[in-house]
Amino acid sequence: MLSGLLRCASTPSSHHLHRSTLIISVRLVSTSVSSKPIDFSSFFSHNGRRTQGLESPPSSLRRTDVQPPPPIPLASYRAIPALTPARLLGIYAQLSKARLTSFNVLVAMSGVALSPIPTTVPVLLSTALGTALCSASANTLNQLQEVPYDAQMARTRGRPLVRRALSPTHAAAFAAATGLAGPALLWTMCNPTTALLGAANVALYAGPYTWMKRRTIWNTWVGAVVGAVPPLMGWAAVGGALLPSAAHPVAFYPPPFLLAPWGSGGSSALLDNPLAPWALFALMFSWQFPHFNALAHVVRGAYAQAGYRMLAVLDPRQNRLVALRHVLLLSGICATLVPLSGLTTWSFALTSLVPNAIWLRAAWRFHKFGGEARARTVFMHSLWWLPVVLGLMIVHKNNVDWLRWIGLRGAGEEKEKVETVKATIQS
């Protein structure tokens, strides 16, 4: 069609009309081409796999007179700095992904803070340090397996093993030391349940998750499980029950204007409800998807270049939809599951509406319109949303009188309030 338009445009009788038609047609063609999504499938034919249909150039076209470039003199290279203790600690922090490890510790501490069971400072510190050691081991083992692929992405080329700041043997020794020390500390200072959760999370992240990243999009769901385990570790570290039993039945706490607690058989003051840690698990599991899917959309080109099977690469529209679904699910978790489990009062369902509405609006715009700017907005919202919501959960924690805690309510008023609650439950 385009060649026909060119021939018609050359006739003098209709030169102006057909020239306009040519311009419009070219614009329409260019618009239709630019509206197509970027196809990253061609990136998956690297790393030793030959692209179908790719043939070597004929021998007549091969250059035989091309000389190799001259060798670079050794004086042009920069000497590797000495591995001082301070620099070694910095490399260990990079292997551990210090920001991600700090985040895991924060989430584990939320399980400790929201538990109704009192704890001690040694248990609190041991939980934090043991979680950090497990996270450091998992991240180091992950990087040991992904050196060839990290070298292909600009965002990961500066990692220590890629730039050979440390030998793989040294990194493996660090991973083994932290991977053994973390569960051992949790076993000794907390309990075996917390230690087994930490060790299992290391194995899940360094094993199935890392293996699945280049094979199936379901790696994201496995990674979400890894990110949701730390609050279970925090809850178990102080002696909380994770599974229902005769001593720890599942209880539901409807709004105050309805019935008394279902299935609890009494006051909720010190009830160890197995539903509560799983409400935290559900919160953290769903949080992973809008957080990661938004980030993956921004760096999807790098993921494709390294051969990672991410939903943002293979189906960007579905990637945006999954992010929106889980932001909606988080709103429901905050409005119903969290207060129903007894973690917080029902006031949390109201105060959490504001951060949920802000994030939901950004996720909807990202789903409807796409674009890297909107993906970054969703990602940035995820960074402040989690600490804000966890902070609100602590503020609205059940059976915590913050007025008395800060000295604005006397002990007599508190005793009278407790007696009133007991009389209400007995009646």
Side-chain angles (χ1 to χ4, degrees):
M1 183 184 70
L2 186 59
S3 61
L5 287 173
L6 288 172
R7 288 194 297 269
C8 291
S10 61
T11 61
S13 58
S14 56
H15 179 78
H16 179 73
L17 175 61
H18 290 293
R19 182 180 180 185
S20 302
T21 306
L22 172 61
I23 294 173
I24 294 173
S25 300
V26 171
R27 288 180 178 174
L28 288 175
V29 172
S30 62
T31 303
S32 63
V33 171
S34 62
S35 63
K36 293 182 180 179
I38 301 175
D39 183 14
F40 290 113
S41 60
S42 61
F43 284 101
F44 292 112
S45 58
H46 66 299
N47 295 329
R49 295 191 296 273
R50 188 179 181 85
T51 306
Q52 293 182 358
L54 183 64
E55 299 179 355
S56 301
S59 58
S60 59
L61 299 179
R62 295 177 184 173
R63 295 283 303 273
T64 58
D65 58 340
V66 177
Q67 299 297 327
I72 301 176
L74 293 179
S76 301
Y77 290 94
R78 185 175 59 182
I80 299 177
L83 198 61
T84 61
R87 186 168 177 268
L88 185 60
L89 288 177
I91 293 174
Y92 286 161
Q94 291 178 326
L95 287 174
S96 306
K97 298 180 183 177
R99 287 184 293 182
L100 180 59
T101 295
S102 301
F103 167 80
N104 288 330
V105 172
L106 170 67
V107 175
M109 290 300 98
S110 69
V112 175
L114 290 168
S115 173
I117 302 175
T119 187
T120 62
V121 174
V123 170
L124 184 69
L125 296 178
S126 299
T127 304
L129 182 57
T131 303
L133 290 171
C134 290
S135 178
S137 177
N139 288 320
T140 303
L141 291 172
N142 170 264
Q143 291 185 55
L144 276 167
Q145 301 174 68
E146 295 185 341
V147 173
Y149 317 120
D150 285 345
Q152 300 178 51
M153 297 190 293
R155 60 186 293 265
T156 55
R157 287 173 187 163
R159 288 180 175 175
L161 292 173
V162 177
R163 67 176 194 270
R164 299 185 180 183
L166 208 65
S167 68
T169 304
H170 192 156
F174 173 74
T178 52
L180 293 174
L185 179 64
L186 294 172
W187 187 294
T188 304
M189 299 300 297
C190 300
N191 49 61
T193 302
T194 311
L196 291 175
L197 284 173
N201 223 26
V202 173
L204 186 61
Y205 187 82
Y209 170 70
T210 300
W211 180 85
M212 293 171 67
K213 283 174 69 177
R214 291 173 52 81
R215 291 167 175 82
T216 173
I217 60 171
W218 292 105
N219 71 83
T220 306
W221 278 257
V222 176
V225 173
V226 173
V229 167
L232 297 183
M233 296 173 61
W235 188 274
V238 297
L242 298 180
L243 298 175
S245 63
H248 305 288
V250 174
F252 301 95
Y253 295 86
F257 59 84
L258 296 178
L259 303 175
W262 304 341
S264 63
S267 173
S268 61
L270 289 175
L271 178 64
D272 183 13
N273 186 8
L275 181 61
W278 293 104
L280 283 174
F281 179 91
L283 183 85
M284 288 307 307
F285 180 83
S286 286
W287 177 87
Q288 310 285 328
F289 290 92
H291 171 77
F292 177 77
N293 287 20
L295 174 63
H297 182 86
V298 176
V299 299
R300 63 192 186 279
Y303 278 136
Q305 186 174 0
Y308 290 120
R309 309 284 296 188
M310 300 298 175
L311 191 60
V313 175
L314 301 176
D315 193 344
R317 181 176 179 80
Q318 186 69 17
N319 179 72
R320 301 196 302 268
L321 180 59
V322 170
L324 176 63
R325 286 173 180 171
H326 281 275
V327 174
L328 284 169
L329 187 58
L330 285 169
S331 301
I333 291 172
C334 293
T336 56
L337 182 58
V338 169
L340 193 64
S341 68
L343 273 174
T344 66
T345 63
W346 280 91
S347 302
F348 172 74
L350 297 177
T351 56
S352 63
L353 287 175
V354 176
N356 284 327
I358 294 173
W359 201 10
L360 181 59
R361 178 178 179 271
W364 168 253
R365 291 175 62 85
F366 175 49
H367 164 66
K368 187 174 182 180
F369 304 108
E372 292 189 4
R374 295 183 182 89
R376 287 191 178 93
T377 301
V378 174
F379 175 75
M380 295 305 296
H381 282 344
S382 71
L383 297 180
W384 64 259
W385 183 92
L386 187 62
V388 166
V389 167
L390 291 177
L392 288 174
M393 292 174 69
I394 294 175
V395 169
H396 295 291
K397 181 181 177 181
N398 249 329
N399 302 294
V400 174
D401 189 350
W402 292 107
L403 293 179
R404 184 186 177 190
W405 192 80
I406 62 178
L408 296 180
R409 189 195 300 274
E413 297 179 8
E414 177 66 17
K415 184 177 180 180
E416 181 180 352
K417 180 181 177 182
V418 171
E419 293 296 333
T420 304
V421 171
K422 288 182 178 180
T424 303
I425 294 174
Q426 291 173 357
S427 62

